Amino acid sequence: MSSVIDITALHKRFGWRTALHGLDMHVQRGTIYGLIGPNGAGKTTTLRTLVDIIRPTSGEVRVLGEEPRHGGARLRRRIGFVPGELHLEGRVTGHRMLSFYAEVSDPVDRGYTSELAERLGVDLSRPVRSLSKGNKQKIGLIQAFMHRPELLILDEPTSGLDPLMQREFLSMVREARDAGQTVLLSSHVLSEIQQVADEVAVLAAGRVVASGDVASLRLGSVRRVRASLEGSDPDAVRRRFMGIPGVREIDLLPRGGVLHLTATVDGPIDPFVKALAQMTVHDLTVEEPDLEESVLRLYSAGSASSIGTAGHEGGAR
C-alpha cells in the first residue's frame, strides 16, 4: 500500500513561535487518517502545509507524490479541501457557487453533486450569504467531495452541523474510503475519529504524543459513569466496586431512597456493568472522556513506544 501523504521532520515557525517541530506523518492510500487534538495543537497548520496555503520552515512534505509548492493547480484538482474556518459570502446561489468550483475542479458529475446536496439537506437555490453557518458548511463539504478527489483533506468538517448531518457526513467519509479515496480528517471531537478512522495521530500542545490504530491507542478507554440505584447500602456498594480493576473516583450520594453513584472506569467496562446488573438501576449514563484529559493521559504515559504502534516524543508544537 503506497503513501498518499509523506511528512518528514516538518518544522514551521511564525516569528518567535514554533508551531510545528519535527513532525513525521505518513498516510496510506485508501485509508481514513484521523488527526486529533485540542485547539491550538497544530492540526490546522499541518493541513495548510499540505495544500500550500503556508510553507514549511524546514522539512519535507509530499502529497500524491509531489511537493505542494510545485504541484500547482494540477495537484490541487486531485484534492478536496475543507478549511477549518470556512468563509462563504456573496449574492450568488449555492448552485452558481458550486458550478464555479466544478469548472475549477473538472470533471465533476453534476448528478453526484445534486445527490450530495439532497443527502445533506441544503437548498442550493438560496443566496449563499443568506445561509446559516451549518448550511454554508454543507456547501463546503459538497465542493470537496463532488469531484471524487483522490485525497480529501478535511479540517473540523462537522463544525456547525447538527447530529443527524454529522452522521451523514461520516457515512460519506466511509463511502469515499470504500471507493479507494484517501481521507485525512482533523477533529477535536473524539467520537468522530473513533467511529471512522483507520489510523490516528494525537497532537497535544503542538506535539505528536501518539500514533497508531484507534484500538491500540485506547482513546476511549476512560469513561465517566453515573448511575441511580434502588436504595442500596453505600458502604456495601463501595466495597463491591472498589474490587473491580480500573474503577476509581467512586462517589456515592443517598437521596430520596435512591443511591446516586459516579465513578471513573479506566479499561474494559464489562466487569463494572456486570456488577451493576446485580442491583436495580433506575438510570445509567456513560460519558466519553474529555479530549484534553485523554490527550494528557497519553502524554503522561511516558515512552511513546508504549502507546500504540508508532508514538513520537518530538512532534509538532
Side-chain angles (χ1 to χ4, degrees), residues 233-254:
D233 174 45
D235 291 334
V237 171
R238 185 179 298 276
R239 288 193 299 270
R240 179 191 298 266
F241 287 104
M242 284 183 64
I244 300 175
V247 177
R248 51 187 172 84
E249 299 176 4
I250 300 172
D251 185 40
L252 298 166
L253 176 63

Side-chain angles (χ1 to χ4, degrees), residues 168-182:
E168 189 64 40
F169 162 75
L170 294 178
S171 295
M172 290 165 53
V173 168
R174 293 187 190 96
E175 291 166 12
R177 175 190 56 194
D178 294 344
Q181 297 166 259
T182 305

Side-chain angles (χ1 to χ4, degrees), residues 19-140:
L20 298 175
H21 184 76
L23 180 65
D24 292 309
M25 191 171 77
H26 305 280
V27 179
Q28 301 301 311
R29 187 176 301 277
T31 63
I32 300 172
Y33 195 98
L35 190 61
I36 192 165
N39 293 328
K43 305 186 303 296
T44 293
T45 300
T46 302
L47 269 55
R48 287 178 174 176
T49 64
L50 298 177
V51 291
D52 201 35
I53 294 175
I54 61 175
R55 291 185 171 174
T57 302
S58 64
E60 182 178 358
V61 177
R62 299 189 71 84
V63 178
L64 294 167
E66 300 187 61
E67 294 183 29
R69 68 174 64 191
H70 298 142
R74 182 187 69 258
L75 175 60
R76 288 192 288 273
R77 289 191 187 99
R78 301 168 65 191
I79 300 171
F81 177 59
V82 174
E85 295 182 4
L86 179 65
H87 300 288
L88 298 179
E89 298 297 337
R91 298 175 181 274
V92 297
T93 64
H95 275 302
R96 184 68 193 92
M97 180 169 284
L98 290 174
S99 293
F100 169 76
Y101 287 132
E103 292 172 6
V104 174
S105 304
D106 190 68
V108 171
D109 181 347
R110 304 305 174 97
Y112 182 55
T113 302
S114 298
E115 176 189 330
L116 290 173
E118 183 175 348
R119 289 178 65 176
L120 292 173
V122 58
D123 182 359
L124 298 181
S125 66
R126 294 178 58 188
V128 171
R129 67 177 183 176
S130 71
L131 298 177
S132 65
K133 172 179 171 58
N135 281 321
K136 289 179 180 178
Q137 190 72 14
K138 293 173 186 178
I139 290 182

